[in-house]
Every structure is written in C-alpha cells, then in structure tokens.
Amino acid sequence: MAKPFVAGNWKMNTSISEAIKLARALRPALSGIDGVTRVICPPFISLAGVSAEFVGSDIKVGAQNMHSEPKGAFTGEIAGAMLKDVCDYVILGHSERRQLLGEQDDFINAKVRAALEIGLTPILCVGETLDQREAGNAGTVVEGQLQGGLRDVSAEDIGRSVVAYEPVWAIGTGRAATPEMAQEMMGLIRYEVARLSHIEIAGNVPLLYGGSVNAENAAELAEQRDLDGALVGGASLKADDFAAIAKAFATRA
Ligand code: PGA
C-alpha cells in the first residue's frame, strides 16, 4: 500500500511574508504526523523561504509548475534544475493550467519526464470537466490524460511519481466528489497506472484526490481503498485545517 500523502497547493496566494508566517504555523501543526508524507507547494517566489522554515523537519516542499526545457530563452519560466535546489516535488498538469493556460498532454508529458530526469517527484494531475462527466466520458478522459502524461516514462519512474485525480467541477467549488465517486475513479486510475507500469509498482504510487477537500470530509475520503491522500487547495491555507486533513490520512498508515 502506498504511504499516505497530503499536499497543499497554495496556488497564487500569499506574499513572501505571508508564506513565511503560514510555514511557521504549519511546522508545529504538522509535526508528529509521521506516517504521512506532507508536502507544501507555495508560489515560486516563496519556495526558498518556506524550505528554510522546514529545515530539520520532515515536511517537504514542492513547486506548482515548471518548464520542460533545462534552460534557455523562455522568459518568465522556471526550469527543473532551479527547483531542485529548493524543493523535491512539482505539481504538473493542474487543471487550471490545462484550462486557463492551454497546457496539453504533450507538454505536460515533457515536463513529467524532465522532472523525473532531474530528480524531482512529479505530482501529475488529471481530471474531467462537468461536461465530460455528464456525457459519460470521465473515465476515458482520465485514462487519456494518464496515457498522455506518462508516455515514454519507464515503469520504474512511474513508481517514483504521484498521481492526483481532481475533477474540475469539484475544485474550489465546495462540492467535493462523494467518497464512492472518488474511489470509483481511483480504482480505474490504479488499474491504468498498473497497465502502464506493473501491478506491484502501481500499488505503491500515491493516488491523491483533490477538489474541495476540507477538515470535515477528509476522514470519509481517507476510508476509500485506493485513495492514499489529498491534494488540497483552499483548506491548505489554514494550518489547522491542513493538519486535520493530514491526521485524517494518518489513520491509513
Ligand atoms: P481546492 O483546490 O481544494 O481549493 O478545491 C484543489 C486543487 O486545485 O488542487
């Protein structure tokens, strides 16, 4: 079974000083929840400062995006090698980037491969829109995103990755998927990850659910068989709420 895993995606929130303040509140709140991998993903500009706050703890830090190229003329972009100095994880293919910034599977796949090559753990996000779900295409869409995102990634490297299922209609809406709905898709994702790698490898890949996870619904979600953790947006900006979510997943350990 994959080790429980919670990641906080701060998105485009917090100034540098607010980020440091939140990190200082999170450090004690998250201490002692040892059976759960805990990752904090602040904006790029606060990565170094937040990382420094967690030195000597086992709280990890991640970025929210990176470019696929190692360096060069890509104004405004950040390369994996730059991130490697300050963090261990990187969120890739988040639906906000797919939808608002036009990112597609090929580009996301290039980023996943670049992240793995440099030694960063990708948190690959997949998930269907409401229209796609209502048309009965949720499974096909998610399978396609997994195949596209993990194309030409070795079984071993898939085993070093994290997958987050975030239905677009549940993100930031306060309307989380029901635990049964989330489990149904997680089972399908586990199967697809196994098909792309190996059944034993897939069993150890943390599968996260994301979309309106909060301190109240986390325990019910954590009971689901293939739901190893959560990718948390809004509720990760409150130290106590995020800690409560991490604790809910600790019961799986
Ligand atoms: P939310 O965001 O928890 O605010 O719904 C989740 C995410 O987008 O990662």
Side-chain angles (χ1 to χ4, degrees):
M1 204 165 114
K3 184 177 173 188
F5 189 114
V6 294
N9 173 11
W10 291 3
K11 306 193 181 185
M12 198 171 72
N13 294 296
T14 66
S15 64
I16 294 178
S17 60
E18 286 164 350
I20 298 298
K21 201 169 153 210
L22 184 50
R24 285 185 184 159
L26 279 164
R27 185 170 174 150
L30 291 177
S31 73
I33 315 174
D34 299 327
V36 183
T37 306
R38 290 142 289 156
V39 182
I40 301 299
C41 305
F44 283 135
I45 198 169
S46 294
L47 278 170
V50 168
S51 279
E53 290 299 325
F54 294 148
V55 167
S57 79
D58 56 4
I59 305 169
K60 304 289 186 195
V61 175
Q64 298 174 17
N65 179 41
M66 62 176 257
H67 199 275
S68 55
E69 292 297 323
K71 64 175 181 180
F74 299 96
T75 302
E77 291 294 322
I78 299 279
M82 301 169 186
L83 296 177
K84 192 68 184 87
D85 288 339
V86 284
C87 66
D88 296 311
Y89 293 84
V90 58
I91 298 171
L92 296 174
H94 191 282
S95 66
E96 284 150 15
R97 301 199 62 85
R98 291 180 192 261
Q99 297 220 301
L100 306 173
L101 298 159
E103 286 197 10
Q104 296 188 352
D105 285 331
D106 279 357
F107 189 29
I108 295 163
N109 174 246
K111 295 180 189 214
V112 168
R113 287 188 281 129
L116 286 160
E117 198 171 316
I118 202 92
L120 291 164
T121 298
I123 302 175
L124 171 64
C125 301
V126 296
E128 82 286 358
T129 64
L130 188 58
D131 283 354
Q132 289 164 335
R133 175 161 284 266
E134 285 176 347
N137 294 333
T140 319
V141 167
V142 167
E143 266 168 20
Q145 289 171 340
L146 284 171
Q147 286 160 12
L150 296 174
R151 187 166 46 82
D152 294 334
V153 177
S154 68
E156 194 191 345
D157 275 348
I158 290 177
R160 293 166 46 215
S161 305
V162 176
V163 175
Y165 167 57
E166 300 202 304
V168 176
W169 46 269
I171 296 177
T173 59
R175 197 157 70 90
T178 64
E180 296 73 26
M181 217 186 248
Q183 167 55 36
E184 191 186 0
M185 188 63 87
M186 293 322 219
L188 190 144
I189 292 172
R190 185 87 67 196
Y191 177 84
E192 190 58 30
V193 172
R195 219 179 53 75
L196 295 168
S197 59
H198 186 276
I199 189 153
E200 275 171 36
I201 289 176
N204 289 317
V205 171
L207 301 188
L208 318 183
Y209 165 78
S212 298
V213 177
N214 57 41
E216 284 75 48
N217 62 18
E220 229 188 348
L221 289 163
E223 281 171 13
Q224 304 304 309
R225 196 168 69 103
D226 288 299
L227 214 153
D228 304 308
L231 179 54
V232 186
S236 73
L237 294 167
K238 294 183 201 122
D240 289 346
D241 287 13
F242 188 64
I245 294 166
K247 281 186 192 129
F249 281 93
T251 57
R252 290 176 70 82

